[in-house]
């Protein structure tokens, strides 16, 4: 597997092992007694045979599977608590038995993989050395042609750290996957400084998966930090329950694509999105399952960087927390909202710039995004619908804030709610669709509307009901040709007048003409209007249509056509026989 998370084999089930408070504390004390060694040890389950790697058991001091020579040329020995563990050579399955303590002092990785193909199963790995160099990963996958899977738990004791805040980083420099299914336990720490569990992917072809949970205790702040030292375009999958993280910020997402598959994958505190100083950075927070994320999502860092929130899979998901575009009077951010093809994402929390400098929203992605907060949103930097569908589902105020709204070619704006900013169909192919998906409704655009030639309106019909666009008292300008596509949700009533546009403002006809498609089996009723089947009355604020069923060919007509065909064939046969 390279970066197709959905096809990962289920290789990360942890072996049963006992984790009690007494057992963990004993492991730390035992490790602390031998921290002075701090040598580099190479995994060598081959015994005295040259070469390192292979399958075997890693225990605190019983099994001789370690070598002090990188090529495995020396005699093997048991594990010494506080050493640095290097897994290279030939990959294999490593069973961690009990609690093993590793070091991590300045300039050294606690756990390093210089080859792929390793699976660590069970047990607990305790980091007990002084992490006074936060740029050094606690887990580093630096080279290899296959994935690394770690199912062991980890204890990260910050209480012995000598210099303040810092990040314990999990690093992947390969184009393979580093998967961690064990838990990370900070509860032994008693320091009040902030600390982070960081994930850093250095190659866009690889990925990091974290399906475990993070636990902490005390008064310190612990948070996940994703992509801070990684590259743009890298993939991270955070799939476990991290509800133990809160107390302010529970996650910082700096750059890369962060997929979440649990409602509390990013803790229960505020998630800072785009905490970077570079305008060229892009960070995406994407659901990868049918979940509801309740975190406040706060834009951060350089105002020019790209920040995306939404869905990355063909599921229905939700963001119910606030989307905060405002940091202070100096820093005002924009956000892109997205849904994957076949997916739908509801934003039921408030999208706000808190009255600061204008923050804007752009809808991207082929799927459906719905703004469902009943009282709408209050950002004022405008909304651009660039791709897919944006549905306003509010019941008061404005789903898209107070700013102007523009709809690009191929994109759709609709819903059953209200938009109070001026709306423009920017190009031929801009689409408007009242109602929810598969349901008839009324969509109100009361801030003014301009439809340029080529704009399309999609209307569902169900019995005597039809989707309606209500322009309120706003001005409307129709410039050129408008196309109407009709779909039949149940039945179409003939002889019924369907009202498509309503309002009481000033409507301007700038060469308006109309094309009507469908519904299937029906055509415009030539007995309605002036024989066109519709009535357009700009002065009277009305556009209505009436349908008639397309006649089925009569039985007699079909029989006559068949007889004519048979006679023609008989005449042709006689001519051929007379030649």
């Amino acid at each position: 597997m390279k970066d197709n998370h959905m096809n990962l084999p289920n290789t990360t089930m942890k072996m049963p092992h006992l984790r009690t408070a007494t057992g963990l504390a004993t492991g730390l004390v035992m490790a602390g007694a031998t921290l002075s060694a701090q040598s580099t040890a190479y995994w060598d389950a081959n015994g005295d045979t040259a070469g390192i790697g292979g399958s075997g058991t890693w225990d605190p001091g019983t099994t001789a599977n370690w070598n002090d020579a990188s090529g495995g040329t020396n005699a093997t020995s048991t594990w010494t608590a506080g050493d640095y563990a290097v897994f290279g050579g030939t990959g294999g399955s490593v069973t961690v038995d009990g609690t093993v303590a590793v070091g991590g002092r300045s300039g050294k990785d606690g756990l390093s993989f210089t080859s792929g193909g390793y699976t660590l199963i069970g047990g607990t790995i305790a980091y007990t050395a002084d992490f006074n160099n936060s740029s050094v990963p606690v887990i580093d996958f630096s080279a290899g042609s296959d994935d690394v899977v770690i199912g062991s738990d980890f204890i990260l004791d910050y209480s012995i750290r000598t210099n303040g805040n810092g990040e314990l980083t999990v690093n992947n420099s390969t184009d393979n996957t580093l998967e961690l299914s064990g838990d990370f336990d900070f509860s032994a720490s008693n320091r009040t400084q902030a600390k982070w569990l960081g994930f850093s992917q250095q190659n866009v072809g690889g990925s990091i998966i974290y399906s475990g949970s993070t636990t902490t205790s005390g008064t310190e702040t612990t948070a996940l930090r994703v992509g801070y030292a990684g590259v743009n375009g890298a993939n991270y999958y955070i799939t476990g329950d991290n509800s133990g993280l809160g107390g302010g910020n529970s996650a910082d997402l700096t750059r890369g694509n962060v997929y979440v598959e649990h409602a509390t994958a990013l803790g229960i505190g505020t998630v800072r999105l785009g905490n970077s100083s570079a305008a060229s950075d892009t960070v995406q927070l994407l659901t990868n399952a049918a979940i509801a994320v309740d975190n406040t999502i706060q834009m951060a860092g350089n105002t020019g960087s790209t920040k995306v929130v939404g869905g990355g899979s063909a599921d229905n998901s939700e963001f119910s927390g606030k989307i905060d575009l405002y940091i202070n009077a100096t820093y005002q951010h924009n956000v892109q909202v997205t849904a994957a093809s076949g997916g739908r994402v509801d934003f039921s929390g408030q999208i706000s710039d808190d009255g600061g400098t204008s923050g804007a929203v752009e809808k991207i992605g082929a799927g459906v995004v719905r703004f469902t907060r009943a009282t709408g949103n209050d950002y004022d930097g405008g909304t651009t619908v660039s791709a897919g569908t944006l549905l306003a589902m509010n019941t008061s105020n404005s789903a898209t804030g107070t700013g102007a709204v523009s709809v690009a070619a191929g994109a759709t704006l609709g819903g059953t709610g209200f938009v109070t900013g001026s709306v423009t169909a920017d190009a031929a192919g801009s689409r408007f669709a009242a109602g929810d998906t598969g349901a008839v409704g009324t969509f109100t655009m009361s801030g003014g509307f301009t439809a340029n030639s080529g704009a399309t309106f999609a209307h569902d019909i169900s019995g005597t009901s039809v989707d309606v666009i209500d322009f309120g008292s706003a001005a409307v300008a129709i410039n050129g040709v408008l196309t109407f596509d009709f779909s039949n949700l149940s039945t179409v009533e003939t002889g019924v007048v369907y009202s498509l546009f309503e309002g009481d403002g000033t409507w301007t006809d700038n060469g308006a003409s109309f094309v009507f498609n469908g519904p299937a089996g029906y055509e415009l009723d030539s007995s309605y209007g002036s024989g066109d089947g519709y009535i357009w009355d700009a002065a009277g604020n009305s556009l209505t249509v009436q349908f008639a069923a397309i006649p089925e060919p009569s039985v007699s007509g079909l029989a006559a056509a068949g007889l004519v065909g048979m006679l023609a064939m008989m005449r042709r046969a006689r001519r051929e026989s007379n030649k």
Side-chain angles (χ1 to χ4, degrees), residues 107-411:
K108 294 285 187 178
D109 307 317
L111 194 63
S112 178
F113 294 86
T114 58
S115 295
Y118 275 101
T119 300
L120 271 60
I121 305 171
T124 301
I125 300 171
Y127 286 81
T128 57
D130 174 14
F131 291 95
N132 58 14
N133 185 345
S134 61
S135 64
V136 176
V138 294
I139 302 172
D140 186 31
F141 183 16
S142 60
S145 58
D146 205 350
D147 301 340
V148 168
V149 179
I150 304 175
S152 306
D153 293 327
F154 290 86
I155 299 173
L156 301 170
D157 186 359
Y158 249 94
S159 60
I160 57 177
R161 182 177 167 78
T162 60
N163 62 337
N165 301 345
E167 175 179 355
L168 303 184
T169 303
V170 175
N171 181 74
N172 183 7
S173 299
T174 76
D175 60 358
N176 301 293
T177 295
L178 172 58
E179 180 172 359
L180 304 146
S181 63
D183 298 334
F184 280 75
D185 184 358
F186 285 89
S187 60
S189 303
N190 57 18
R191 295 175 68 85
T192 58
Q193 290 92 340
K195 52 184 178 286
W196 299 277
L197 173 60
F199 298 99
S200 175
Q201 176 64 42
Q202 303 295 332
N203 192 316
V204 295
S207 62
I208 294 177
I209 302 171
Y210 177 40
S211 58
S213 298
T214 311
T215 56
T216 187
S217 64
T219 58
E220 77 284 348
T221 299
T222 303
L224 300 180
R225 200 175 198 183
V226 183
Y228 182 76
V231 297
N232 285 305
N235 293 321
Y236 305 87
Y237 298 88
I238 314 297
T239 66
D241 177 10
N242 291 296
S243 56
L245 300 181
N249 295 328
S250 59
D252 270 8
L253 313 182
T254 304
R255 60 180 67 85
N257 309 315
V258 183
Y259 297 88
V260 295
E261 297 182 10
H262 194 284
T264 56
L266 300 177
I268 59 174
T270 297
V271 174
R272 295 197 299 183
L273 195 66
N275 192 20
S276 166
S277 60
S280 59
D281 280 340
T282 296
V283 60
Q284 298 192 86
L285 169 56
L286 304 171
T287 57
N288 205 38
I291 59 174
V293 178
D294 191 46
N295 304 78
T296 293
I297 313 296
Q298 183 183 68
M299 306 303 114
N302 193 295
T303 56
S305 63
T306 302
K307 306 166 184 72
V308 182
V309 181
S313 63
D315 294 294
N316 293 344
S317 59
E318 179 182 5
F319 286 88
S320 56
K322 181 179 181 180
I323 307 297
D324 191 356
L325 307 181
Y326 176 79
I327 302 300
N328 53 47
T330 302
Y331 297 103
Q332 186 63 61
H333 297 270
N334 303 325
V335 67
Q336 295 176 331
V337 294
T338 188
S341 178
R344 189 190 78 197
V345 180
D346 289 352
F347 287 83
S348 58
Q350 180 185 21
I351 305 175
S352 176
D353 55 20
D354 286 331
T357 306
S358 299
V361 174
E362 180 184 10
K363 164 62 176 71
I364 62 173
V368 177
V369 165
R370 304 193 311 173
F371 288 168
T372 61
R373 185 171 185 260
T375 55
N377 298 298
D378 62 1
Y379 62 95
D380 58 7
T383 304
T384 301
V385 187
S386 295
T389 299
L390 176 63
L391 298 181
M393 305 301 294
N394 56 313
T395 57
S396 64
N397 301 317
S398 178
T400 55
T402 59
V405 180
S406 62
V407 183

Side-chain angles (χ1 to χ4, degrees), residues 450-463:
T450 300
N452 292 316
S453 186
T456 298
F457 293 81
H459 290 260
D460 290 330
I461 298 174
S462 181

Side-chain angles (χ1 to χ4, degrees), residues 464-530:
T464 59
S465 300
V466 67
D467 288 332
V468 177
I469 303 291
D470 185 352
F471 298 108
S473 300
V476 175
I478 306 299
N479 304 321
V481 181
L482 300 188
T483 297
F484 291 82
D485 294 332
F486 294 95
S487 298
N488 181 9
L489 297 182
S490 58
T491 60
V492 176
E493 299 291 336
T494 59
V496 171
V497 176
Y498 292 104
S499 179
L500 308 181
F501 286 174
E502 297 178 352
D504 56 13
T506 300
W507 293 12
T508 303
D509 180 339
N510 296 319
S513 62
F514 307 96
V515 176
F516 298 95
N517 300 317
Y522 296 86
E523 61 186 3
L524 293 178
D525 187 349
S526 60
S527 68
Y528 182 68
S530 301

